Protein backbone atom coordinates (compact mmCIF):
# COMPACT_ATOMS: atom_id res chain seq x y z
CA UNK A 1 0.00 0.00 0.00
CA UNK A 2 1.34 3.41 -0.96
CA UNK A 3 1.40 5.99 1.80
CA UNK A 4 0.46 9.65 1.48
CA UNK A 5 4.06 10.89 1.56
CA UNK A 6 4.94 8.70 -1.43
CA UNK A 7 1.90 9.89 -3.36
CA UNK A 8 2.68 13.55 -2.69
CA UNK A 9 6.36 13.26 -3.60
CA UNK A 10 5.57 11.20 -6.72
CA UNK A 11 3.00 13.79 -7.77
CA UNK A 12 5.55 16.57 -7.32
CA UNK A 13 8.11 14.66 -9.38
CA UNK A 14 5.56 14.11 -12.14
CA UNK A 15 4.52 17.75 -12.23
CA UNK A 16 8.13 18.88 -12.28
CA UNK A 17 8.74 16.60 -15.26
CA UNK A 18 5.78 18.14 -17.07
CA UNK A 19 7.14 21.62 -16.40
CA UNK A 20 10.45 20.62 -17.97
CA UNK A 21 8.62 19.35 -21.06
CA UNK A 22 6.58 22.54 -21.38
CA UNK A 23 9.76 24.60 -21.04
CA UNK A 24 11.17 22.65 -23.95
CA UNK A 25 8.06 22.71 -26.17
CA UNK A 26 6.94 26.33 -25.84
CA UNK A 27 9.94 28.03 -27.46
CA UNK A 28 10.08 25.42 -30.22
CA UNK A 29 6.67 26.10 -31.75
CA UNK A 30 6.04 28.80 -34.33
CA UNK A 31 2.26 28.47 -34.05
CA UNK A 32 1.19 31.31 -31.75
CA UNK A 33 -2.13 29.67 -30.83
CA UNK A 34 -0.35 26.47 -29.82
CA UNK A 35 2.27 28.48 -27.94
CA UNK A 36 -0.46 30.27 -25.97
CA UNK A 37 -2.23 26.98 -25.21
CA UNK A 38 0.99 25.37 -24.01
CA UNK A 39 1.73 28.44 -21.90
CA UNK A 40 -1.71 28.18 -20.29
CA UNK A 41 -1.10 24.51 -19.55
CA UNK A 42 2.31 25.34 -18.09
CA UNK A 43 0.83 28.07 -15.89
CA UNK A 44 -1.83 25.68 -14.58
CA UNK A 45 0.85 23.07 -14.00
CA UNK A 46 2.95 25.59 -12.05
CA UNK A 47 -0.08 26.43 -9.90
CA UNK A 48 -0.65 22.73 -9.17
CA UNK A 49 3.03 22.29 -8.37
CA UNK A 50 2.87 25.16 -5.87
CA UNK A 51 -0.23 23.73 -4.19
CA UNK A 52 1.26 20.25 -3.85
CA UNK A 53 4.57 21.72 -2.71
CA UNK A 54 2.76 23.62 0.08
CA UNK A 55 1.07 20.39 1.20
CA UNK A 56 4.45 18.63 1.21
CA UNK A 57 6.02 21.40 3.30
CA UNK A 58 3.10 21.57 5.75
CA UNK A 59 3.33 17.83 6.38
CA UNK A 60 7.15 17.81 6.47
CA UNK A 61 7.32 15.55 3.41
CA UNK A 62 9.69 18.03 1.81
CA UNK A 63 12.15 20.29 3.54
CA UNK A 64 13.33 23.04 1.21
CA UNK A 65 16.99 23.94 0.91
CA UNK A 66 18.07 26.85 3.08
CA UNK A 67 17.59 30.29 1.56
CA UNK A 68 20.55 31.65 -0.35
CA UNK A 69 22.54 34.42 1.26
CA UNK A 70 21.84 37.85 -0.21
CA UNK A 71 25.46 38.16 -1.38
CA UNK A 72 25.03 34.95 -3.40
CA UNK A 73 21.79 36.23 -4.95
CA UNK A 74 23.46 39.53 -5.80
CA UNK A 75 26.45 37.76 -7.35
CA UNK A 76 24.25 35.55 -9.51
CA UNK A 77 22.16 38.54 -10.56
CA UNK A 78 25.30 40.43 -11.58
CA UNK A 79 26.41 37.45 -13.70
CA UNK A 80 23.09 37.46 -15.55
CA UNK A 81 23.08 41.23 -15.99
CA UNK A 82 26.64 41.24 -17.33
CA UNK A 83 25.77 38.56 -19.88
CA UNK A 84 28.16 35.97 -18.44
CA UNK A 85 25.32 33.46 -18.06
Amino acid sequence: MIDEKTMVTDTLAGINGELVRFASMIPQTENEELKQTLTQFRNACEQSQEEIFQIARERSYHVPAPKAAQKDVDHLRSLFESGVM
Side-chain angles (χ1 to χ4, degrees), residues 17-83:
E18 292 300 318
L19 289 170
V20 169
R21 283 186 278 288
F22 283 128
S24 171
M25 289 186 288
I26 291 169
Q28 293 181 37
T29 183
E30 293 182 10
N31 180 313
E32 283 302 314
E33 186 177 347
L34 177 57
K35 188 175 284 200
Q36 288 178 348
T37 300
L38 291 171
T39 299
Q40 290 171 345
F41 286 152
R42 183 206 57 211
N43 292 345
C45 195
E46 286 176 350
Q47 181 62 39
S48 295
Q49 193 273 353
E50 181 61 30
E51 291 170 8
I52 299 295
F53 179 74
Q54 291 302 325
I55 291 168
R57 281 184 46 196
E58 288 168 6
R59 297 182 183 173
S60 298
Y61 298 158
H62 176 78
V63 178
K67 290 188 178 195
Q70 188 60 46
K71 68 179 178 124
D72 295 330
V73 173
D74 293 340
H75 175 69
L76 188 58
R77 181 177 289 125
S78 72
L79 291 176
F80 274 103
E81 290 172 348
S82 69

